[in-house]
Structures are given as structure tokens and as C-alpha cells.
Amino acid sequence: MLEELKKRVYEANMLLPKYGLITFTWGNASEIDRESGLVAIKPSGVEYDKLTPDDIVILDLDGKIVEGKLNPSTDTPTHIELYKAFSDIGGVVHTHSTHAVAWAQAGLDIPCYGTTHADYFYGAIPCIRNLTAEEIEDGYEENTGLSIVERYTKSDINPKFVPGCVCKNHGPFTWGKDAKEAVHNAVVLEEVARMAILTRQVNPSAGETPRYMQDKHFMRKHGPNAYYGQNN
Amino acid sequence: MLEELKKRVYEANMLLPKYGLITFTWGNASEIDRESGLVAIKPSGVEYDKLTPDDIVILDLDGKIVEGKLNPSTDTPTHIELYKAFSDIGGVVHTHSTHAVAWAQAGLDIPCYGTTHADYFYGAIPCIRNLTAEEIEDGYEENTGLSIVERYTKSDINPKFVPGCVCKNHGPFTWGKDAKEAVHNAVVLEEVARMAILTRQVNPSAGETPRYMQDKHFMRKHGPNAYYGQNN
Amino acid sequence: MLEELKKRVYEANMLLPKYGLITFTWGNASEIDRESGLVAIKPSGVEYDKLTPDDIVILDLDGKIVEGKLNPSTDTPTHIELYKAFSDIGGVVHTHSTHAVAWAQAGLDIPCYGTTHADYFYGAIPCIRNLTAEEIEDGYEENTGLSIVERYTKSDINPKFVPGCVCKNHGPFTWGKDAKEAVHNAVVLEEVARMAILTRQVNPSAGETPRYMQDKHFMRKHGPNAYYGQNN
Amino acid sequence: MLEELKKRVYEANMLLPKYGLITFTWGNASEIDRESGLVAIKPSGVEYDKLTPDDIVILDLDGKIVEGKLNPSTDTPTHIELYKAFSDIGGVVHTHSTHAVAWAQAGLDIPCYGTTHADYFYGAIPCIRNLTAEEIEDGYEENTGLSIVERYTKSDINPKFVPGCVCKNHGPFTWGKDAKEAVHNAVVLEEVARMAILTRQVNPSAGETPRYMQDKHFMRKHGPNAYYGQNN
């Protein structure tokens, strides 16, 4: 079972450079096995072209290493907080992809300017607040996860409907039913972030997509009567 | 005959990722056989690297599937409305290419800033209005096609002279004498959209190309006395 | 002799897509043999992946075809006017490269913002005026060449020191001692145009490089006491 | 020993085109052997696809060539001044990478907008002043190095904590413990410069990363209690 999990997480991590989301080692993907509560994640600072499935680290939800000789990603506590709070998700991805980072550094939610966005994210993609000095001093990475959960709770955002966000002055986190889907959503977030920048460049007062159009697009892919694709 | 049509439509679809117009499955190409009135189109949500000519779906102009085991693209009714209204066209392409989407999301026509544009599109590339809630509720994809036809009719635009447009908050549709030419025009539209964004960045008050210069460029390629290329 | 010339022009043309300057067939390179006065140029509208050395067309300076079965590039008269007026040049290139076109469409000279520019172009890269309706009606492509020559003469620009320009609402022409050097300068112009757009984005009131710094950089590469490279 | 040094410098130089930092021959990497005081650097104007380890030039810190048949990079005196002033560094890189050049041409320090920056550069990346006409006339390349050292001294910047800068109207220089790390930092500077441009595009009044967050990120990678990666 763990071999399968490590292989899937390895493959999801290798998609990150393939899709152009990664410079050097700036990113990581994980997946949780909900039955055993074990999380598999990329080791910290290991170059992608040297990564092997055996390097993937296995931890429990307390952050204790169960298997693996390498240090797990420093972002592991963030992944764990997301798994603990969002019970429906099975995979998490963090990157420093260029255009998503631009929104994070700008400190703004990404408005829903069109159907490319609405096909995957229902409403704006939130920009999560900065942590305080105290939150960073003690438990920075856990608190990053908790700040994401805080915003989704406060703003009543469904993490299944908005499967990703950007953390202020930092970068994007995305998730999905497994690591591969979390990678998929990381690609979408980056492309949507890029389109949104260009949209405002063409028309600084561009408006958001009418809500009924967002409903249509999100629901024809993800709603109970979805008719996009082959599985309906 | 259908085998040939399916092969051509398969090949046209495979050009979309080759030209960098496609992320994941966000786009589709179709072609019509005018004699039989049959349309061949990409199946919905099938990944490009798994697509085969056999997966191409054949429908009649009422949207009834004639051949194929997969669901056709959800955008099929849009393609069909364009084939019904624009009797000279033989191929249609839809993508979410980045810079064309930026203009769609900005909600603005793309002005003719130069000869790259004028070589293929005679005048501005129109941005088609949003559909109403009612038009989206009932027959969204048909109505998308009808809104394009409405604008070309109202603004007296010849679809052969302006072989593509962007739909507000959505993305581009292009067409041509066959699927391959529709792909060609999708590449041109994306590049022209990119150049237009950069043009306004350099000079926000940049003017359009003088009409006599547009005439010259469009006509030396497409007019009765065309002298560009080898077929004249 | 012609075989050698055709081979060199073929190879120079093939560098254009290699360096990412070309979409479809939007560009051409030529070279002149000054002794015989013969010009070799790409045929019109032929796709780069189908081009062979045998397809290259040979003309004299009156535009008469001397060898070749295909129509020469429609831009041939522009190349010929440049060869006639600028006696030191041996190669000419025309492209629709994205960022150079943006400046052409913006209708502005490209200021010398830094040493990347000053290493190759001594002073601003001029944007050539639009032709009049009459100039376009009769002898459009010749007049394009003549308008370039007019500006260089009027503004007292040395074509060896400023080996390229952008034509308003159209795109760049570059030249050099042979076709290969003209391609080299086309790559530089595109990159310099891109950097200049980004420079103004960071700082809209960015100033030009001090003249003494431009002198230093241009002259250490091209002056009588040049010390860049291995040939001095 | 020199063979090993030349091989390492050759390999570092070959990473520059691999990472997309180089057009033609616009850049160079060097490394110093601190014991012997010998510097190995790329020869001037040699194309990367023709470069061999044997072409690397060896000089002493007075700029005297010790080994090598080719002229060293014209920027060699700049590298040497950096090695003389910054005793902890072992490698230097100069490029004309696009977005770093944009900041150089804009004449502005690159603010620390996020953790991507803070992971490698502690505080703003300085833009070094223009040289005077006199400084350029006599000893241009040495004076470029001295102007960098002057700014680091004046502004009390630790070159180990801010391993790179941009020179006004010119481009970036970066350094590190060896040539390979200097290349690594050149990649980071280019990506950080690109993100910073996009950040200001999204939000012209974007603020810098809180200092306590910069501390955390720089120190978790480079501080005495670093916990990023596998070597701690």
C-alpha cells in the first residue's frame, strides 16, 4: 500500500516541473491515505531530476515520520493542517508558480474574470492574510495552514468548490481528491492568474463574470447534472 | 468518406497543443462535410495525448450522433449554429488561448493595430456580448453560437473576412474553409491578441492601422488580385 | 556561386523559426552578391519545414527573376531598395517578431535604455512613418524600402550603426554584412524591444543610457579599437 | 587542479543557456581558486555551443593571463574586483537576462515582495549607480566592479546575504560560494525580477514583505538553525 502511495506522490511531484510550475526545488506535492491517516510527501530541497519514489517521506497526522530516510518538505505542517481541516481532500500541492505568486505578492483575491476560472474555481480565489510575527515565530508552517482554514471558515468558502488559494507575500496552495488532481488545479490556478493579469492590463475596469454564467460553467463540470466529459 | 473526415479532424485537433493553444482539454476543432451535412468533432474532456481518429464523433446538423461511442464536445451546439449560419465555412475551432481570453475577459473588440492582423482579419475582431441568464439557462451552447451570428449580422461583418471572434468572459472561436484553416486562424488570433496588448502597453493611445493599409494587406492575400504566396 | 548563395540564404531563413522570430511564413531573409548584383531570397508563403535550398529565388536589382520556379517573397522590392541605397549591407531580414511589432504598432522609436541595445544599435531604433494612400496604391513594397531610406537620410542615421528599424503598423527590418548577420540583428532587435517594454513597465519615466556609456559599449564591439571577442 | 577548475567553470557557463538566461554570448561565469588566487573565466564572444573546457582562460588577480589562448571575457576586471573585495565568494556570473535587465534599465532596487525573494536575498536587490564619464573612459570594467563594492559598503549590505545586484542601464551580476551557486543565484534573480514586475502590475502599491517574514524565510534556509533541505 505505501509503495503505491509513494509512487503516486512521486509521479505527481514530477508533473510539477513538466508543467513549468517549478524552479529548482520550489514546490511539493503530497497525498493522504485516509484509512491509515498516513501522508506521503516530497523530501525537502531534493532536486526533481534526482528524485525517486523511494525518497518520498511517509508521516502520520501528528507529523511523526513513519518511513523514509530524508527530511520531509518544510511545508509538511501546512499540508497536514489542510488534511486535518478539509476532510474531503486527498492531495495538496504548493508551488511558487510565477503568476500565482504575483497575486500573492500583490495581496489581492483573484476575481473570476471568465469561464476558464469558473470551470474549476467557484468564485474568487482568496488571498490569505499575512501571519503575525508571533504566528511566524512559533509554528510558522502549521499557522500557514491554519490561516488558510481560518479564511475558508470565516468567508464560508467550500474547499471543494474553491480548491486553492494564494498566501500573501508567499505563493499558491491547491488541493484535490488526490495528488494528481491537486497538481491539475495548480496548473489551472497559474493559468487563471496569468489571464487575470492580462485582462486587467487590457481593461483595468474589467468586471467579473456574471454569477449565472459562473454557476453554469462550474455546474456543467462539477454539479449533480454535470455534462462535461465522458463520466456522466 | 467519414474515415477521411475523422482523420482530418483528429489531425486538426492535434495541432492545437502543438501550437501551444491548449491547456489540458480546453479546446476543440470540428469540420463539416457540406454534401452530407455531417459534422466531425472532438469528444468531450478527452486528453490530447490519448485522442485517436476513432474517438472523433460524427453528428448531423440537428446534433444527433451518427457515429462514435463518446460524448461530443459540450461546445458542439455552438459549432453547429456557426455551420448553419455561415454557409461558406467548413471548420470551427474553440480554445482558451491566453491572450485571446484576456480580450474576451476585458470585454473589448481587438482593434486592427497592424499588418499582422490585417493579413487575416479585415477590421476589428469583435467581442461578442454576454448571454442573458435566460439564454444560459436554456440552450447555453446553441445561444453562444447564435450570439456570434447576431453580432456579425447586426454589425454587417462578413464571416469570411473576419474569421473569428472572442466571446465575452469566455474565449475565442475561429473558423475557416476546413478544420486546419480554422486552427491556423486560431493561432493568428492568439498572436494578434498578444501583440495588441503589448502595443497598448507601449502606447496607450496607439491608433488603428489606416484603412487603406488594411485594404492593401488583406487584399494582397485574399482579394481577387492576390499576389502573396504561390497560387496566383 | 549561386548554389553557395542559395545555401547561405536557405540557412539564414531556417534560423528565423529556430530563434522563435517566425509564426507560419511571416518573415524572410535575403542576401546579395555585390559583384554580380544578384539577390537571393525566400519564396513567398512557403512553409519553413518544407523549404529547401533549391526553392530560393534569384533576382537582379531590377526585380527580374534570374533563377527559381517560385514567386519570390512579396517583400522583395523592399529588400532591393535597401540594397540599392545602403551599399555596405549584404543581407536583409524581415519578420513579424512579437515585441518589435508592438513598437511598430505603437508608432514609437525604441529608446536606448541600456547596454544590450548599445552593443548593437547606436542610438534609438527608428520607427518609420506610415506610407500615404498613394504610396501604398502604387509600389507599396518599393515605397516601404524608400521610406526607410528617407528616414535614415533625413535623420542622418548611419545604417551600419543602426542596422534595423520598425515600420509603423507593420514590423521590423534588419540588415547586416550578410544574411546571417541580418538574422542576428533581428534577434537582438526583438530582445531589445522586449526589454524596453518591461523597462517602461517598471519605471514609466526611465531615462536613456548616458551617451558616453552608449559610445563605450558600441565602440568596444564595433569601433576601430574594439576589444570584445577574439578578432582584435 | 587547473583542469578541474576549468571543467567546473565550463559546466557553470553551459548552465546559463540551459536556464534561458543567455542570448548569443551575452554572459559569463567565473570561479576563483582562493589558495592560488587564480580565476577561471569564459573567453570573450565565444558561442556557447562551440565552447570547450580548454577554452576557459586562467588569470591571476592582477588580470595577467596565466593559461589560455583566447581573450578572456571583457567583463573580467569586474569579476576580479568582486573577488578582491568580497573575500567569501568563490564564483561570479554576469548575464543580460530579460527581467533583471528591465530593473537595471529602470534604475530601481528590486523590493522584497515575497518569500521567493527572501529565500535567497535578504532585503532589496540593489541597483548600482551609473558610472561617470571619467570612470567609463578609463577602466570601465574595473570601475563597474568598484561601483558595486562601493554600494555594498555604503549601504552596509552583506554580499553573502544579498548575493547579486543590477547595474544601472546594464544588467545583473550575481555571486556565490562557487560558479555553480552564482549561476543558481542568477536564475533566482531573474525569476524574482519577473515576479516583482508582475506584482506591481497587479497592484502598483503592493507593499514589501514584513521584515519578520523575510527573517524567517532567509534564516530557515541560511541561518545557523536552518532547517530547509537535507544538510542540517
Side-chain angles (χ1 to χ4, degrees):
Chain A
M1 191 274 298
L2 288 181
E3 294 316 301
E4 271 307 299
L5 181 63
K6 281 154 75 171
K7 187 158 168 282
R8 277 205 310 280
V9 168
Y10 164 76
E11 286 168 357
N13 273 288
M14 294 310 288
L15 289 175
L16 297 175
K18 187 194 153 193
Y19 284 123
L21 299 179
I22 296 286
T23 301
F24 298 125
T25 60
W26 307 348
N28 41 71
S30 73
E31 187 170 308
I32 189 169
D33 175 67
R34 284 287 177 188
E35 273 191 47
S36 63
L38 294 180
V39 174
I41 194 163
K42 182 176 175 293
S44 181
V46 173
E47 289 175 34
Y48 278 94
D49 55 8
K50 291 183 184 148
L51 192 68
T52 68
D54 265 357
D55 295 334
I56 301 300
V57 185
I58 307 282
L59 307 100
D60 64 24
L61 282 169
D62 297 320
K64 218 186 115 235
I65 296 180
V66 171
E67 197 176 300
K69 284 164 302 217
L70 299 169
N71 299 336
S73 164
T74 52
D75 300 306
T76 302
T78 312
H79 292 239
I80 285 178
E81 292 307 321
L82 295 175
Y83 288 128
K84 289 206 287 202
F86 300 160
S87 56
D88 283 338
I89 71 174
V92 171
V93 161
H94 171 54
T95 78
H96 286 236
S97 71
T98 312
H99 298 84
V101 164
W103 283 91
Q105 296 189 159
L108 299 176
D109 294 1
I110 308 177
C112 179
Y113 285 127
T115 60
T116 319
H117 181 131
D119 279 336
Y120 292 88
F121 293 84
Y122 190 55
I125 295 167
C127 178
I128 310 301
R129 69 167 174 87
N130 269 329
L131 299 187
T132 63
E134 292 69 35
E135 287 168 328
I136 280 185
E137 180 68 28
D138 195 4
Y140 170 48
E141 291 85 2
E142 289 90 328
N143 288 330
T144 298
L146 291 172
S147 70
I148 296 171
V149 174
E150 176 198 82
R151 170 72 189 272
Y152 275 68
T153 307
K154 261 191 178 166
S155 301
D156 198 20
I157 305 171
N158 183 337
K160 281 186 74 173
F161 284 9
V162 182
C165 62
V166 293
C167 290
K168 187 144 191 270
N169 296 123
H170 188 27
F173 284 86
T174 56
W175 46 83
K177 68 174 197 282
D178 51 25
K180 195 181 168 192
E181 194 180 276
V183 173
H184 194 100
N185 289 334
V187 174
V188 175
L189 199 164
E190 172 62 11
E191 180 63 8
V192 161
R194 187 178 171 213
M195 286 171 168
I197 294 176
L198 291 164
T199 299
R200 285 153 78 104
Q201 186 171 349
V202 175
N203 184 356
S205 58
E208 293 191 61
T209 313
R211 194 74 206 189
Y212 58 82
M213 197 167 161
Q214 294 186 43
D215 292 347
K216 180 68 179 185
H217 267 266
F218 192 80
M219 292 308 167
R220 80 174 184 174
K221 269 197 130 159
H222 306 282
N225 301 314
Y227 58 96
Y228 183 94
Q230 302 298 332
N231 307 315
N232 45 71
Chain B
M1 189 274 298
L2 287 182
E3 294 315 302
E4 271 307 298
L5 180 63
K6 280 154 75 170
K7 186 159 168 285
R8 277 204 310 280
V9 168
Y10 163 76
E11 286 168 356
N13 272 288
M14 293 310 287
L15 290 175
L16 297 175
K18 187 195 153 193
Y19 284 123
L21 299 178
I22 296 286
T23 301
F24 296 125
T25 60
W26 306 349
N28 41 71
S30 73
E31 187 170 307
I32 188 169
D33 175 68
R34 284 289 177 186
E35 272 191 47
S36 63
L38 295 180
V39 173
I41 195 163
K42 181 176 176 292
S44 181
V46 172
E47 291 176 31
Y48 277 94
D49 56 8
K50 292 183 184 149
L51 192 68
T52 69
D54 265 358
D55 295 333
I56 301 300
V57 184
I58 307 282
L59 308 99
D60 63 25
L61 282 170
D62 296 320
K64 218 186 117 238
I65 296 179
V66 171
E67 197 175 300
K69 284 163 302 217
L70 299 169
N71 299 337
S73 165
T74 51
D75 299 305
T76 302
T78 312
H79 292 238
I80 286 179
E81 292 307 320
L82 295 175
Y83 287 128
K84 290 206 286 202
F86 299 160
S87 56
D88 283 338
I89 72 174
V92 171
V93 161
H94 171 55
T95 78
H96 286 237
S97 70
T98 312
H99 298 84
V101 164
W103 283 91
Q105 295 189 160
L108 298 176
D109 294 0
I110 308 177
C112 179
Y113 285 127
T115 60
T116 319
H117 181 131
D119 279 337
Y120 291 89
F121 292 85
Y122 191 55
I125 296 167
C127 178
I128 310 302
R129 70 166 174 85
N130 269 330
L131 300 187
T132 63
E134 291 69 36
E135 286 169 328
I136 281 185
E137 179 68 28
D138 195 5
Y140 169 48
E141 291 84 1
E142 290 89 330
N143 287 330
T144 298
L146 291 172
S147 70
I148 296 172
V149 174
E150 176 198 83
R151 169 72 188 272
Y152 275 69
T153 307
K154 262 191 178 168
S155 301
D156 197 20
I157 305 171
N158 183 337
K160 280 188 74 174
F161 284 9
V162 183
C165 62
V166 293
C167 290
K168 186 144 192 270
N169 296 123
H170 187 26
F173 284 86
T174 57
W175 46 84
K177 68 174 198 285
D178 51 26
K180 196 183 166 191
E181 193 178 276
V183 172
H184 193 100
N185 289 333
V187 174
V188 176
L189 199 164
E190 172 62 11
E191 180 63 8
V192 160
R194 187 178 170 212
M195 287 172 168
I197 294 176
L198 290 165
T199 298
R200 285 153 76 105
Q201 185 171 350
V202 175
N203 184 356
S205 58
E208 293 191 62
T209 312
R211 193 74 205 188
Y212 58 81
M213 196 167 161
Q214 295 186 42
D215 291 349
K216 180 69 178 185
H217 267 265
F218 191 81
M219 292 307 168
R220 80 175 184 173
K221 269 197 130 159
H222 307 283
N225 301 314
Y227 59 96
Y228 182 94
Q230 302 299 333
N231 308 315
N232 44 70
Chain C
M1 189 276 297
L2 286 182
E3 294 315 302
E4 271 307 297
L5 180 64
K6 281 155 73 171
K7 187 159 167 283
R8 276 205 309 282
V9 168
Y10 163 76
E11 285 167 359
N13 272 287
M14 293 310 288
L15 289 174
L16 297 175
K18 187 196 153 193
Y19 284 123
L21 299 178
I22 296 286
T23 301
F24 297 125
T25 61
W26 306 349
N28 41 71
S30 73
E31 187 170 306
I32 189 169
D33 175 68
R34 284 288 178 187
E35 271 191 48
S36 63
L38 294 180
V39 173
I41 195 163
K42 182 178 177 290
S44 181
V46 172
E47 290 174 34
Y48 277 93
D49 56 7
K50 291 182 185 150
L51 192 67
T52 69
D54 266 359
D55 295 333
I56 301 300
V57 185
I58 307 282
L59 307 99
D60 63 24
L61 282 169
D62 297 320
K64 217 185 118 237
I65 295 179
V66 171
E67 197 176 299
K69 285 163 303 219
L70 299 169
N71 299 337
S73 164
T74 52
D75 300 305
T76 301
T78 311
H79 292 238
I80 285 179
E81 292 307 320
L82 294 175
Y83 287 128
K84 291 205 287 202
F86 300 159
S87 57
D88 283 337
I89 71 174
V92 172
V93 160
H94 171 54
T95 77
H96 286 237
S97 70
T98 311
H99 297 86
V101 164
W103 283 91
Q105 294 189 161
L108 298 175
D109 293 1
I110 308 177
C112 179
Y113 285 127
T115 61
T116 319
H117 180 131
D119 279 336
Y120 292 88
F121 293 84
Y122 191 54
I125 296 167
C127 178
I128 310 302
R129 71 168 173 84
N130 268 331
L131 300 186
T132 63
E134 292 69 34
E135 288 169 327
I136 280 185
E137 179 69 28
D138 195 4
Y140 170 48
E141 291 85 2
E142 290 88 330
N143 288 330
T144 298
L146 291 171
S147 70
I148 295 172
V149 174
E150 176 198 84
R151 170 72 189 272
Y152 274 69
T153 307
K154 262 192 179 167
S155 301
D156 198 19
I157 305 172
N158 184 336
K160 279 188 74 175
F161 285 9
V162 183
C165 62
V166 293
C167 290
K168 185 144 194 271
N169 297 122
H170 187 26
F173 285 86
T174 57
W175 47 83
K177 68 175 198 283
D178 52 25
K180 196 182 166 190
E181 193 179 276
V183 172
H184 193 100
N185 289 333
V187 174
V188 175
L189 200 164
E190 172 62 10
E191 180 63 7
V192 161
R194 187 179 170 213
M195 286 172 168
I197 294 176
L198 290 165
T199 298
R200 286 153 76 104
Q201 186 171 349
V202 175
N203 184 357
S205 58
E208 293 191 62
T209 313
R211 194 74 205 190
Y212 59 82
M213 197 166 160
Q214 294 187 41
D215 291 349
K216 180 69 179 185
H217 267 265
F218 192 80
M219 292 307 167
R220 80 173 186 174
K221 270 196 129 157
H222 307 283
N225 301 314
Y227 58 96
Y228 182 95
Q230 302 299 332
N231 307 316
N232 46 71
Chain D
M1 191 273 299
L2 287 180
E3 294 316 301
E4 271 307 299
L5 181 63
K6 281 154 74 170
K7 187 159 167 282
R8 277 205 310 280
V9 168
Y10 163 76
E11 285 168 357
N13 272 288
M14 294 310 289
L15 290 175
L16 297 175
K18 187 194 152 193
Y19 284 123
L21 299 178
I22 297 286
T23 301
F24 297 126
T25 60
W26 307 349
N28 40 72
S30 72
E31 187 169 308
I32 188 168
D33 175 67
R34 285 286 177 188
E35 273 190 48
S36 63
L38 295 179
V39 173
I41 194 163
K42 182 176 176 292
S44 181
V46 172
E47 290 174 33
Y48 277 93
D49 56 7
K50 291 182 183 148
L51 192 66
T52 69
D54 266 357
D55 296 334
I56 301 300
V57 185
I58 306 281
L59 307 100
D60 62 25
L61 282 169
D62 296 321
K64 217 186 119 237
I65 295 180
V66 170
E67 197 176 300
K69 286 163 303 218
L70 299 170
N71 299 337
S73 164
T74 52
D75 300 305
T76 303
T78 312
H79 291 239
I80 285 178
E81 292 307 321
L82 295 175
Y83 287 127
K84 290 205 286 202
F86 300 159
S87 56
D88 283 338
I89 71 173
V92 171
V93 161
H94 171 54
T95 78
H96 286 237
S97 70
T98 312
H99 297 85
V101 164
W103 283 91
Q105 296 189 160
L108 299 176
D109 294 0
I110 308 177
C112 179
Y113 285 128
T115 60
T116 319
H117 181 132
D119 279 336
Y120 292 89
F121 293 85
Y122 190 55
I125 295 168
C127 178
I128 310 302
R129 69 169 174 85
N130 268 331
L131 300 186
T132 63
E134 292 69 34
E135 287 169 328
I136 281 184
E137 179 69 29
D138 195 4
Y140 170 47
E141 291 84 1
E142 289 89 330
N143 288 330
T144 298
L146 291 171
S147 70
I148 295 172
V149 174
E150 176 197 82
R151 170 72 189 272
Y152 274 68
T153 307
K154 262 191 178 168
S155 301
D156 198 20
I157 305 171
N158 183 336
K160 279 187 74 174
F161 284 9
V162 183
C165 62
V166 294
C167 290
K168 187 145 193 270
N169 295 125
H170 188 25
F173 284 86
T174 57
W175 46 84
K177 68 174 198 283
D178 52 25
K180 196 181 167 193
E181 193 179 277
V183 173
H184 194 99
N185 289 334
V187 174
V188 176
L189 200 164
E190 172 62 10
E191 180 62 8
V192 161
R194 187 177 171 215
M195 286 171 168
I197 294 176
L198 290 164
T199 298
R200 286 153 77 104
Q201 186 171 350
V202 175
N203 184 357
S205 58
E208 294 191 60
T209 313
R211 193 75 205 189
Y212 59 82
M213 197 166 160
Q214 295 187 41
D215 292 348
K216 179 70 178 183
H217 267 266
F218 192 79
M219 292 308 166
R220 79 173 186 174
K221 269 198 130 158
H222 306 284
N225 301 314
Y227 59 95
Y228 183 94
Q230 302 298 334
N231 307 316
N232 46 69

